[in-house]
Amino acid sequence: MSIQNFEQHFQAQIDNEIKIEPKDWMPEAYRKTNIRQISQHAHSEIVGMLPEGNWISRAPSLKRKAILIAKAQDEAGHGLYLYSAAETLGMSRDEMIADLHSGKAKYSSIFNYPTLSWADVGAIGWLVDGAAIMNQVMLTRTSYGPYARAMVRICKEESFHQRQGFESLLVLSKGTAEQKAMCQDAINRWWWPSLMMFGPKDTESTNSDQSMKWKIKRKTNDELRQNFVDMIAEQIKVLGMKLPDNKLNWNEQRKHYDFGEINWDEFWAVVKGNGPCNKQRLAARRKAHEEGRWVREAAMAYTEKKKSKSSLEAA
Amino acid sequence: MNIKITKYYYGDIPEEKSAGSTYQSAQDATTWPLWEIFIRSKQGLDHKHVGSLHAADAAMAMENARDVYTRRQEGVSIWVVESKYITASNPEEAGELYEPAVDKIYRHPTFYILPDEVNYM
Ligand SMILES: [Fe+2]
Ligand SMILES: [Fe+2]
């Protein structure tokens, strides 16, 4: 088969909803796009543990602490599923980690914002995990098999993340005046960054068309963002709080909520490394990796030693 | 009413704001091999492939598989196999491997039309 035939066959497979598996022929750009997207997604799960991890030792009760630890552990697992999926495309785990640490690879900008009060943990669960879920549910149907399977597993675990966040805010929203203020303050700070999680507007997004054609993505950034706004605008009523957007309004014609303009300058500044916590997040990852090196090497040395011992005994 | 809420800056505030970096991490001397993980979700069912992970040896692969893949009672038994021991068929040979079965419809029970009186055979 010529390259064109391979490409036609590949596109036909995708059009017929047949998943692409690791050993199948695929265009180089498809492989690259998937590696970039899946590894970025993995990095986001791992770096995402940091802002919340900040509150594990200061959670207000043993119950909340156990919940938060369980959530962070889930996120570590999500990172692992995704790294494994990306590895099937031929990039090693070490290369991916090195790219994260050098700043070459990106992760979701949302994790470059600080967690300043306990209410932030609830707001992250509800808004940040909530936004992530919109994207992840779509990705359970992505065209690359290992990515889709990882997403199915992740989505099963995510819904507890969002529910525990909302429930935690619900408790605050019924609490003292200080607790209510804390709840509103956290929502004010996390709302706009959550909307930015869906990425640039469709008109500005360069990768979108090809990704849609290859069914890596199945909904555009703006579609997902609108779905999210519609969902949260209803849920916030239960909390008795307000979203910090005075343009937020139900549009009877569109059957969607209208909302205000995102601060795109802020979005790009954070993506480019100038968010409030970019530097600190990367420093924390590097430190963990560097300080864990001797453990990784010792474990391998122990394995080698056991192997040579058993081969001696066999001889 | 004057409400004061405390915000904690410790542990979560940047030392300084700066963009980009030229960090280069050292390479590990060795890397842990990759393992494929299979889980029996309950007694009576087959082990099913659930994913993979890196571990120094089988015991560690087992522990990690427990932590990663059975946190919500998804399994009662785990198999771990180092990935390099798995031989996979090549998708390009799919034709030779699977097509010969296409025209052997007599291997399926529906090929045989029997009188109605012979129920449940
Ligand atoms: Fe996650
Ligand atoms: Fe999550």
Side-chain angles (χ1 to χ4, degrees):
Chain A
M1 273 201 282
S2 71
I3 273 282
Q4 285 91 332
N5 287 343
F6 272 118
E7 278 192 6
Q8 270 167 18
H9 177 75
F10 174 82
Q11 190 61 50
Q13 246 186 309
I14 294 204
D15 294 343
N16 290 317
E17 299 295 334
I18 297 171
K19 297 279 183 229
I20 307 301
E21 294 295 342
K23 294 184 102 191
D24 293 342
W25 185 91
M26 61 186 85
E28 221 20 60
Y30 178 84
R31 180 186 303 276
K32 283 221 180 85
T33 307
N34 264 295
I35 288 181
R36 180 169 40 81
Q37 191 178 320
I38 302 170
S39 63
Q40 263 181 31
H41 197 159
H43 298 325
S44 303
E45 301 283 352
I46 298 300
V47 177
M49 288 188 280
L50 295 170
E52 290 181 291
N54 188 29
W55 282 91
I56 288 176
S57 62
R58 291 179 280 147
S61 69
L62 185 58
K63 177 183 121 183
R64 292 292 170 192
K65 185 173 185 157
I67 292 171
L68 191 49
I69 291 173
K71 180 177 188 293
Q73 198 188 12
D74 276 353
E75 307 299 5
H78 298 173
L80 177 113
Y81 309 152
L82 289 161
Y83 281 129
S84 301
E87 278 175 284
T88 63
L89 289 162
M91 188 176 197
S92 78
R93 180 87 54 104
D94 284 358
E95 284 174 87
M96 288 185 255
I97 304 274
D99 281 355
L100 170 66
H101 293 173
S102 75
K104 184 177 162 203
K106 297 272 178 259
Y107 54 87
S108 181
S109 281
I110 191 85
F111 302 117
N112 290 319
Y113 290 86
T115 44
L116 303 179
S117 81
W118 166 252
D120 287 28
V121 172
I124 288 178
W126 177 41
L127 297 174
V128 177
D129 288 70
I133 291 170
M134 307 248 58
N135 195 32
Q136 287 166 338
V137 167
M138 164 192 80
L139 288 170
T140 58
R141 293 165 58 236
T142 191
S143 59
Y144 186 56
Y147 193 20
R149 291 191 287 274
M151 279 345 292
V152 170
R153 197 171 288 283
I154 287 174
C155 283
K156 275 189 201 153
E157 301 184 346
E158 279 300 343
S159 78
F160 129 67
H161 297 179
Q162 195 185 15
R163 291 172 71 103
Q164 65 82 34
F166 188 82
E167 192 233 24
S168 165
L169 292 185
L170 193 59
V171 171
L172 291 175
S173 75
K174 292 179 178 157
T176 62
E178 282 80 7
Q179 286 172 322
K180 285 179 188 163
M182 208 163 94
C183 180
Q184 183 63 60
D185 172 70
I187 292 167
N188 291 349
R189 280 181 291 108
W190 288 95
W191 172 247
W192 290 107
S194 301
L195 288 190
M196 294 179 199
M197 283 176 73
F198 297 96
K201 279 193 199 177
D202 293 347
T203 44
E204 316 267 309
S205 178
T206 45
N207 304 322
S208 236
D209 284 355
Q210 187 56 265
S211 285
M212 295 285 280
K213 188 166 166 246
W214 279 334
K215 296 186 184 167
I216 297 175
K217 290 186 69 141
R218 288 172 166 265
K219 286 184 177 182
T220 68
N221 295 353
D222 287 337
E223 280 177 87
L224 288 168
R225 187 162 22 236
Q226 181 70 60
N227 293 348
F228 179 70
V229 171
D230 292 347
M231 175 178 82
I232 299 297
E234 288 300 320
Q235 291 173 351
I236 192 139
K237 294 177 187 167
V238 182
L239 289 178
M241 297 281 145
K242 277 186 72 182
L243 292 173
D245 179 359
N246 48 27
K247 296 224 174 81
L248 189 81
N249 230 319
W250 176 251
N251 184 325
E252 185 56 35
Q253 267 172 352
R254 292 202 308 127
K255 298 283 176 208
H256 285 296
Y257 276 90
D258 291 335
F259 55 99
E261 189 63 34
I262 289 169
N263 180 346
W264 294 108
D265 293 338
E266 175 182 330
F267 172 80
W268 288 114
V270 183
V271 168
K272 289 183 177 132
N274 287 321
C277 297
N278 292 54
K279 197 168 173 260
Q280 196 198 16
R281 298 288 182 245
L282 271 187
R285 286 310 316 150
R286 291 168 185 163
K287 181 165 178 276
H289 189 71
E290 297 294 340
E291 291 178 358
R293 175 169 293 114
W294 73 270
V295 180
R296 295 191 297 276
E297 290 181 352
M300 214 49 219
Y302 178 64
T303 299
E304 298 300 337
K305 189 174 141 192
K306 271 191 305 183
K307 265 192 210 153
S308 63
K309 226 183 185 175
S310 62
S311 64
L312 268 180
E313 278 160 13
Chain B
M1 190 171 52
N2 201 2
I3 298 170
K4 186 172 160 287
I5 52 177
T6 316
K7 296 186 194 177
Y8 297 88
Y9 287 91
Y10 52 87
D12 208 351
I13 201 73
E15 293 133 37
E16 61 194 73
K17 295 180 182 179
S18 111
S21 80
T22 52
Y23 177 88
Q24 200 60 51
S25 82
Q27 276 283 306
D28 283 16
T30 52
T31 47
W32 293 353
L34 191 66
W35 299 74
E36 300 302 323
I37 313 301
F38 300 81
I39 298 211
R40 184 201 295 288
S41 56
K42 64 177 196 190
Q43 294 294 104
L45 296 181
D46 292 323
H47 284 79
K48 191 172 164 237
H49 184 243
V50 293
S52 51
L53 51 80
H54 288 271
D57 60 16
M60 189 195 281
M62 192 64 86
E63 276 174 25
N64 290 353
R66 198 269 321 254
D67 287 348
V68 175
Y69 293 110
T70 65
R71 284 200 302 283
R72 291 179 176 81
Q73 297 173 292
E74 291 95 337
V76 293
S77 163
I78 303 175
W79 286 351
V80 302
V81 185
E82 211 179 319
S83 310
K84 68 176 178 193
Y85 295 119
I86 291 182
T87 309
S89 63
N90 188 340
E92 272 139 55
E93 286 158 12
E96 294 117 81
L97 286 175
Y98 313 117
E99 261 158 38
V102 171
D103 57 1
K104 298 186 179 58
I105 46 172
Y106 46 84
R107 282 181 169 154
H108 297 279
T110 46
F111 179 72
Y112 304 92
I113 313 294
L114 300 182
D116 285 348
E117 296 89 83
V118 199
N119 289 325
Y120 311 115
M121 186 185 276

